[in-house]
Amino acid sequence: MVDQEMQKYFGQIERLDDLRDVNRYICAVCDEQGAIRTSYHFSPIFDAPNSIRTDVYANGYSEAWLELYDKEDFRRSDPIPARTMKHGALLTWSDAMAMGPNTPDNEAYFAAMREHGLEHGFGLPLYGPRGRNSYASFDFGKPVEEVDSVALGIVRGASQAAHQRICVLLDATRNTPELSVREREVLEWVARGKSTSSIAAILELSPETVKTYAKRIYEKLGVSDRVGATVKALKLGLIKI
């Protein structure tokens, strides 16, 4: 019965074609299962989950808290998302706070959480393709040990499915340059720090040919050097190193 219910949620998520609809739907699922607060933190690749550049989609939080969390210095003092991602599994806010060591800014952040009634929630790492991982948090208004296990499983499974759907939708809308097989090979060795002569020897090409491929790659990626090419390629998921 539970599996059938999960398949219902997964099927609905797969039919959604708009990022906002995915976020709205998963919030509705969490509400249905008894969560009083949810948040989804979608960070740019290579950025921290508490970065001001992270898009936070929140539901159930007070306007006063959201205004606070929109301030860069305040958000940067929140260590819970990073600790949850490092932990790699569900982590209660209280356990994350105790992982320390905590700076005075961390302690001030925790005090603000308590003032706003943020006490019993937990964080969850969400995993996506090409390292596109994100953080989500949930609060049922009671310790996680008292949350119905079926409801908890549905929230965890549906949130993971929603995150993967968002990654798919983003991939479909971004403008990814087309690279030839040989250009990808050259790019991968460039990203690994190999010199032009080394790449030429590995791929059995002349150094001049490697330079030509590199020039084409830079033009297609809209960059001017090796570092720029590596960063852009990783962000677009063109290579893995």
Side-chain angles (χ1 to χ4, degrees):
M1 190 68 179
V2 175
D3 288 343
Q4 291 180 345
E5 193 169 5
M6 288 301 299
Q7 288 303 319
K8 177 190 72 175
Y9 293 125
F10 292 164
Q12 179 60 34
I13 289 169
E14 287 300 311
R15 286 191 288 272
L16 297 174
D17 293 320
D18 184 90
L19 299 177
R20 290 167 297 182
D21 288 343
V22 177
N23 279 319
R24 281 193 287 264
Y25 180 72
I26 196 60
C27 283
V29 170
C30 293
D31 287 347
E32 181 182 294
Q33 298 304 318
I36 61 174
R37 299 182 185 91
T38 62
S39 69
Y40 172 61
H41 302 230
F42 194 85
S43 304
I45 294 178
F46 310 127
D47 219 336
N50 64 345
S51 164
I52 198 64
R53 290 175 293 277
T54 292
D55 291 325
V56 179
Y57 190 93
N59 182 55
Y61 289 84
S62 69
E63 287 298 324
W65 176 260
L66 294 178
E67 286 181 11
L68 264 179
Y69 205 75
D70 230 15
K71 297 178 180 179
E72 183 174 3
D73 289 343
F74 183 77
R75 185 185 296 192
R76 196 186 305 128
S77 65
D78 174 13
I80 296 176
R83 291 177 184 178
T84 302
M85 299 305 294
K86 184 177 181 180
H87 181 66
L90 185 154
L91 185 67
T92 65
W93 291 343
S94 57
D95 284 345
M97 292 176 186
M99 290 175 74
N102 295 314
T103 67
D105 286 343
N106 295 152
E107 295 293 352
Y109 179 86
F110 301 152
M113 287 182 67
R114 290 189 287 270
E115 289 172 9
H116 286 80
L118 305 179
E119 183 179 359
H120 295 301
F122 61 90
L124 190 70
L126 303 175
Y127 300 103
R130 296 182 296 279
R132 176 67 85 176
N133 303 329
S134 289
Y135 167 81
S137 69
F138 310 89
D139 185 358
F140 284 75
K142 54 187 174 183
V144 68
E145 295 82 10
E146 298 177 14
V147 178
D148 178 75
S149 60
V150 173
L152 189 60
I154 288 173
V155 165
R156 295 177 69 174
S159 297
Q160 176 62 58
H163 172 63
Q164 291 180 338
R165 182 59 179 164
I166 286 172
C167 291
V168 168
L169 292 175
L170 284 173
D171 284 346
T173 57
R174 69 187 180 188
N175 184 20
T176 303
E178 291 290 332
L179 298 181
S180 69
V181 173
R182 184 62 88 183
E183 287 169 344
R184 284 179 182 269
E185 289 175 340
V186 171
L187 180 56
E188 286 176 356
W189 288 114
V190 165
R192 293 176 186 177
K194 295 294 184 180
S195 66
T196 297
S197 58
S198 295
I199 296 172
I202 292 169
L203 299 179
E204 298 182 346
L205 301 170
S206 70
E208 289 303 316
T209 299
V210 172
K211 290 179 182 178
T212 298
Y213 277 122
K215 182 179 179 181
R216 291 177 188 170
I217 292 166
Y218 296 167
E219 289 175 351
K220 288 183 177 182
L221 294 178
V223 299
S224 59
D225 56 29
R226 286 171 161 257
V227 174
T230 299
V231 172
K232 185 75 172 284
L234 286 169
K235 285 184 175 181
L236 294 175
L238 292 172
I239 59 171
K240 293 180 180 180
I241 56 173

